[in-house]
Amino acid sequence: AQSVAQPEDQVNVAEGNPLTVKCTYSVSGNPYLFWYVQYPNRGLQFLLKYITGDNLVKGSYGFEAEFNKSQTSFHLKKPSALVSDSALYFCAVRDYGGATNKLIFGTGTLLAVQP
Amino acid sequence: DGGITQSPKYLFRKEGQNVTLSCEQNLNHDAMYWYRQDPGQGLRLIYYSQIVNDFQKGDIAEGYSVSREKKESFPLTVTSAQKNPTAFYLCASCRQGGYYGYTFGSGTRLTVV
């Protein structure tokens, strides 16, 4: 069965420090991977995706993610965190189990950036 | 601008009432989805639709109903059979193919009073 895991419920980082939000996946085919961000009482916003090609994917707001096939991971990174990056982050993977458009979401990681 | 609109933003329901949440998109997307989000939890899929006049149950469909009479619209009805409907509801849409990910609406917060 397809699945995606975000092992950390919360990540705390000081402003200006690099941040990493972890995601691992399990799929039966080629992984299509996505990161979304959610601010309080808002919908999810797309950050970036990996479909194929370069393992380092650059996205919105200075975020990037590294696809690692051997470790089945797709960690979200940013070189220098901002207080405004504080939000809930979701990793998602395309579901190969039926409807090919459907995404499977992780449980979310709350990023808290301290000033 | 193209986008996906959910209304209302806040909704209050009395015990035993049915309420309908609206979701409209002008992105020409084929597929549409409804998710429920509870505090401290992730997204749980309620229903989804790949094409007009067709929809499938998600993981937590009990107590909910949907229709897909138009490509642009995918309303969700929360029925009185849903015993704990207080939650944040998110609608999403996407193109066919699996490459594009979802576009989300801004959500509806439903509270039982």
Side-chain angles (χ1 to χ4, degrees):
Chain A
Q2 278 69 226
S3 65
V4 60
Q6 295 181 243
E8 301 155 318
D9 291 334
Q10 183 163 337
V11 169
N12 298 305
V13 64
E15 187 174 30
N17 283 359
L19 69 87
T20 298
V21 182
K22 295 179 180 177
C23 173
T24 59
Y25 65 89
S26 174
V27 296
S28 56
N30 291 324
Y32 293 179
L33 296 155
F34 303 82
W35 275 104
Y36 289 84
V37 59
Q38 185 182 30
Y39 297 98
N41 295 312
R42 303 293 297 275
L44 277 68
Q45 297 177 33
F46 171 81
L47 279 178
L48 51 79
K49 67 180 178 183
Y50 173 83
I51 304 298
T52 187
D54 195 346
N55 289 343
L56 186 62
V57 179
K58 295 191 182 295
S60 306
Y61 312 121
F63 283 93
E64 57 190 27
E66 186 171 9
F67 171 67
N68 188 316
K69 188 173 183 178
S70 62
Q71 296 186 7
T72 61
S73 67
F74 189 55
H75 301 331
L76 183 69
K77 300 182 180 184
K78 189 173 183 182
S80 178
L82 300 173
V83 172
S84 58
D85 292 330
S86 299
L88 187 58
Y89 290 80
F90 288 96
C91 181
V93 66
R94 169 185 167 181
D95 182 7
Y96 280 83
T100 58
N101 301 314
K102 195 153 64 78
L103 296 181
I104 299 170
F105 287 87
T107 52
T109 298
L110 184 64
L111 174 66
V113 181
Q114 284 85 37
Chain B
D1 285 339
I4 182 165
T5 302
Q6 289 187 242
S7 61
K9 189 171 179 64
Y10 298 96
L11 186 58
F12 298 90
R13 190 193 95 167
K14 293 182 179 179
E15 295 279 355
Q17 272 186 341
N18 293 353
V19 292
T20 298
L21 284 59
S22 172
C23 179
E24 303 276 337
Q25 54 98 359
N26 61 2
L27 299 165
N28 200 31
H29 285 174
D30 293 293
M32 298 187 74
Y33 305 82
W34 274 106
Y35 287 89
R36 170 178 171 143
Q37 187 177 28
D38 293 283
Q41 297 194 28
L43 304 177
R44 292 189 288 171
L45 182 63
I46 304 173
Y47 269 99
Y48 63 101
S49 169
Q50 298 287 93
I51 57 172
V52 174
N53 293 322
D54 188 43
F55 48 83
Q56 287 77 40
K57 292 182 179 179
D59 301 318
I60 57 163
E62 185 175 351
Y64 301 96
S65 66
V66 293
S67 63
R68 187 86 186 278
E69 297 176 0
K70 298 186 301 181
K71 188 176 186 178
E72 301 79 18
S73 179
F74 192 42
L76 173 74
T77 297
V78 184
T79 74
S80 57
Q82 172 50 241
K83 298 306 178 187
N84 185 23
T86 295
F88 190 53
Y89 291 87
L90 287 162
C91 181
S93 68
C94 74
R95 286 191 264 176
Q96 296 287 0
Y99 313 106
Y100 307 105
Y102 293 175
T103 299
F104 281 86
S106 56
T108 293
R109 185 164 296 282
L110 173 63
T111 304
V112 174
V113 295

